[in-house]
Amino acid sequence: MSWLVLTNASPGATRNSGTNGDLCTLLDWALPQASWGIEYSSGNARVYRPSIGLRNRLHVNHDSATSGNAGLATVRGCESASSATTLVDPFPLVAQTANNLSTWNISNSTSTTDRPFRIYLSETFVFYFSNYSGGADVWDMGFFGDAEGVLSSDVYNTVVSVRNNNAATTSAGLTQTMAASGNAGNNIFWARDITGATKSSRGILYG
């Protein structure tokens, strides 16, 4: 797998700011460079889909009316969708993580101030890092995509991380709890568990 690394200095890069819709505009530019499609687009909401792999969808709604803050975008994975805002089998479920918590952090300023970003992108996975405060080494992170399956029978191993936090002034994506076992956490969600029976199964980073 090769990775494409995109920054503010990349040709054609758009603004990364706490202005409604800016993250969608940025991802509209970035994701197609690794053959992701924009399946649905409406206002400040999108549904993106990789061209290969399990092909679950990434939903992004960068609108303060949904996230509660223009510095945050509401993000979920989903197995399918019928519009930019109508998701089928989303992960996390709204009952697990509300729209103002299921977020990626873009900026602590609801302005057009362009924040440094890093996007690490493959055909099936995306990491989004934002220097949300503009300070030295002050970053937050979100990710979505297909992980390496433990078993070949696991066809639900698409994962998304959200912040479970509604404050654009703090880093929550990079401070997810590390554990010595796979106990369920609050920030990482799989499309389903390995059996396929449990939708939006919680996960955790561990090592």
Side-chain angles (χ1 to χ4, degrees):
M1 177 189 299
S2 61
W3 290 88
L4 177 65
V5 181
L6 301 171
T7 72
N8 307 71
S10 299
T14 62
R15 188 176 61 199
N16 182 55
S17 85
T19 301
N20 284 337
D22 270 12
L23 181 60
C24 292
T25 302
L26 180 63
L27 294 176
D28 287 353
W29 161 79
L31 294 178
Q33 295 187 53
S35 300
W36 292 52
I38 304 170
E39 191 167 55
Y40 295 103
S41 174
S42 178
N44 296 324
R46 302 287 189 276
V47 170
Y48 302 99
R49 193 179 189 192
S51 63
I52 64 171
L54 298 176
R55 303 199 68 210
N56 288 308
R57 285 83 165 166
L58 170 64
H59 165 69
V60 179
N61 191 344
H62 184 194
D63 198 307
S64 56
T66 303
S67 67
N69 186 319
L72 303 172
T74 297
V75 175
R76 299 183 193 278
C78 61
E79 293 184 31
S80 187
S82 58
S83 77
T85 56
T86 304
L87 312 182
V88 178
D89 294 329
F91 50 101
L93 299 167
V94 176
Q96 292 172 312
T97 311
N99 283 333
N100 68 330
L101 300 175
S102 186
T103 57
W104 288 358
N105 194 355
I106 304 158
S107 176
N108 66 350
S109 173
T110 55
S111 71
T112 59
T113 301
D114 192 14
R115 298 299 193 197
F117 72 86
R118 301 285 186 276
I119 293 175
Y120 294 82
L121 180 62
S122 76
E123 292 178 302
T124 58
F125 211 99
V126 58
F127 288 93
Y128 166 75
F129 294 87
S130 183
N131 184 196
Y132 64 95
S133 74
D137 297 324
V138 182
W139 296 76
D140 207 3
M141 174 192 72
F143 59 78
F144 169 87
D146 295 348
E148 189 71 28
V150 176
L151 301 175
S152 59
S153 58
D154 182 7
V155 294
Y156 297 103
N157 55 313
T158 304
V159 65
V160 66
S161 75
V162 297
R163 302 175 66 249
N164 204 25
N165 191 305
N166 63 1
T169 56
T170 185
S171 178
L174 280 171
T175 56
Q176 302 186 63
T177 303
M178 295 291 287
S181 66
N183 296 325
N186 292 321
N187 302 72
I188 295 175
F189 296 84
W190 298 93
R192 303 192 188 196
D193 74 337
I194 201 166
T195 71
T198 303
K199 297 178 181 181
S200 192
S201 175
R202 291 182 184 269
I204 197 168
L205 297 174
Y206 72 96

